Amino acid sequence: MADRSFLDWPFLDDGHRALAAALEDWCLANLHHAHGPDVDAECRALVRALGEGGWLRYCVPAAYGGVHDALDVRSLSLIRETLARHSGLADFAFAMQGLGSGTISLLGTEAQKQAYLPAVGRGERIAAFALTEPASGSDVASMETTADRTADRYRINGAKTYISNGGIADHYVLFARTGEAPGARGVSAFIVDADTPGLAVTERQQVIAPHPLATLAFTDMLVPHDALLGEAGRGFAAAMATLDIFRTTVGAAALGFARRALDEATARVTVRKLGQGTLADSPVTQSALADMVLDVDTAALLIYRAGWLRDVQGQRNTREAALAKLHATEGAQRVIDKAVQLFGGLGVTVGVPVEALYREVRALRIYEGASEVQKIVVGRQHLAAANG
């Protein structure tokens, strides 16, 4: 059983503790760690199950069927941590419902929110966030997809790649260059239904931890003016505001993976024979476990501090979210690597949980801002504060 003492920290309240307990029971009854052969079908089923369980209500505001008046980062983080500990694909399914609707929650018109958010919260509509392009990943300023305004439409041309839920989503929050200013200041956000003419799935990517992932092409795709999300030319700010919320939760998912790896390793070393005792009796093993515990606890502190700053203090937490994602994802990689080492040959055997975790965790150091980008964010924020 994973350590739950962190639930008593002052960053969390009784509502969070009740949420963690209820979700843990649900996961034990409904989830398994291994993926099936049809990941698309499994992901669709998980979205439905998460919706029926009421967990996707945490992805949308209360006015549209959600639990909280505004998105609560600590609740989102607790849910992702718990789901990831039980099933990487369940965490993915939950996270994309939040990320693919978060910009609508933050900036959508009342009509846009009513049209999309209730169905997302019920698990009846699958959401996606389309930002990354073939020639630009973290460098949003280099975006090449264009949206040209006509008398009654926007005409969109370009491509997006490595889009999570690509191919199974019902809608995409899409970012395209509208040209109000150079670079990132000339990007706008749009809501695009998956069946819009001119939108095509051109490739399905296969990655080491399978989940729905695709390249999308837009060829003279026409969307109405009311598909614009927020203000024209403010798409980069919209993307960053959304990522400020969900970047912390990426760290939480990594923390869930790390907790599972620590639990698996602890159970393994206490029964694996070594001489007259077990592997757990070795000072080398105890040192490795200490390093793992350190990475887990420090990640948890950074994650729930970042959420608390936003939820309770009402502060923009760009620096804290970057720190949380950076340390939690890098730390989880170290924890899982040590777990594999403690398992020995069994640790790289397909079907063993630590082998799956080894594949699951790697992408978290890349998506929603690679670790190198998080270091730049933290460095710039630190210098700005120092220069006052």
Side-chain angles (χ1 to χ4, degrees):
M1 183 67 176
D3 174 40
R4 299 171 70 80
S5 61
F6 74 99
L7 292 170
D8 293 326
W9 292 351
F11 296 129
L12 303 171
D13 60 31
D14 288 342
H16 297 114
R17 287 181 271 276
L19 165 62
L23 180 57
E24 182 69 20
D25 290 343
W26 185 87
C27 289
L28 289 170
N30 291 276
L31 298 182
H32 57 87
H33 195 75
H35 298 326
D38 188 339
V39 175
D40 285 4
E42 190 173 353
C43 195
R44 290 189 181 98
L46 283 166
V47 171
R48 287 194 299 272
L50 289 164
E52 290 167 0
W55 310 116
L56 295 180
R57 295 179 59 225
Y58 289 89
C59 293
V60 300
Y64 309 97
V67 175
H68 298 288
D69 290 339
L71 297 179
D72 184 79
V73 177
R74 293 166 298 165
S75 295
L76 293 169
S77 297
L78 270 173
I79 293 171
R80 290 203 65 182
E81 177 185 339
T82 305
L83 291 174
R85 186 158 42 79
H86 288 273
S87 163
L89 196 62
D91 164 65
F92 165 83
F94 175 85
M96 289 313 305
Q97 290 298 97
L99 184 63
S101 64
T103 312
I104 303 174
S105 294
L106 291 174
L107 299 173
T109 64
E110 183 62 22
Q112 289 170 334
K113 292 175 180 178
Q114 292 288 358
Y116 291 91
L117 297 182
V120 167
R122 293 191 299 266
E124 297 169 359
R125 171 178 285 274
I126 295 178
F129 187 83
L131 181 63
T132 300
E133 297 196 351
S136 63
S138 298
D139 183 12
V140 179
S142 298
M143 184 178 296
E144 296 178 353
T145 298
T146 58
D148 297 319
R149 185 183 173 101
T150 67
D152 60 349
R153 296 283 191 274
Y154 282 95
R155 184 184 303 274
I156 300 178
N157 285 280
K160 300 291 179 178
T161 195
Y162 290 104
I163 303 306
S164 293
N165 276 349
I168 70 167
D170 294 297
H171 77 261
Y172 299 90
V173 171
L174 171 68
F175 297 86
R177 182 169 300 286
T178 45
E180 288 78 10
R185 292 176 295 169
V187 171
S188 298
F190 300 87
I191 309 173
V192 178
D193 290 332
D195 59 359
T196 302
L199 188 162
V201 176
T202 58
E203 181 184 2
R204 293 297 301 273
Q205 280 98 10
Q206 302 297 315
V207 290
I208 58 176
H211 65 269
L213 199 69
T215 295
L216 310 176
F218 312 99
T219 306
D220 289 333
M221 182 180 72
L222 298 176
V223 298
H225 288 165
D226 62 10
L228 180 69
L229 191 51
E231 299 178 27
R234 296 285 296 164
F236 177 76
M240 293 305 103
T242 306
L243 292 174
D244 272 353
I245 293 175
F246 289 96
R247 188 169 285 137
T248 301
T249 78
V250 178
L255 175 60
F257 291 148
R259 286 198 196 276
R260 178 66 180 267
L262 178 58
D263 289 349
E264 295 285 342
T266 302
R268 174 67 174 166
V269 301
T270 56
V271 298
R272 188 179 183 186
K273 299 298 183 184
L274 181 67
Q276 298 301 309
T278 65
L279 196 57
D281 297 324
S282 166
V284 174
T285 299
Q286 293 164 14
S287 177
L289 291 172
D291 287 340
M292 296 162 79
V293 170
L294 177 63
D295 273 330
V296 165
D297 269 21
T298 52
L301 285 162
L302 287 169
I303 289 161
Y304 292 107
R305 178 189 69 162
W308 176 81
L309 278 173
R310 185 179 182 91
D311 297 338
V312 178
Q313 298 297 300
Q315 297 180 22
R316 184 160 187 181
N317 63 348
T318 301
R319 170 183 176 273
E320 290 76 17
L323 282 168
K325 181 185 186 293
L326 173 64
H327 181 74
T329 57
E330 294 289 332
Q333 185 83 61
R334 292 189 294 269
V335 169
I336 294 167
D337 187 72
K338 285 183 172 67
V340 170
Q341 196 73 10
L342 290 169
F343 265 72
L346 187 61
V348 291
T349 303
V350 173
V352 174
V354 295
E355 180 272 337
L357 290 166
Y358 195 82
R359 290 182 287 104
E360 292 275 11
V361 76
R362 188 58 184 87
L364 275 65
R365 295 167 56 202
I366 299 172
Y367 73 68
E368 292 189 37
S371 292
E372 292 76 10
V373 173
Q374 303 312 317
K375 290 179 180 180
I376 293 170
V377 170
V378 172
R380 287 176 176 173
Q381 293 274 322
H382 173 73
L383 289 171
N387 294 328

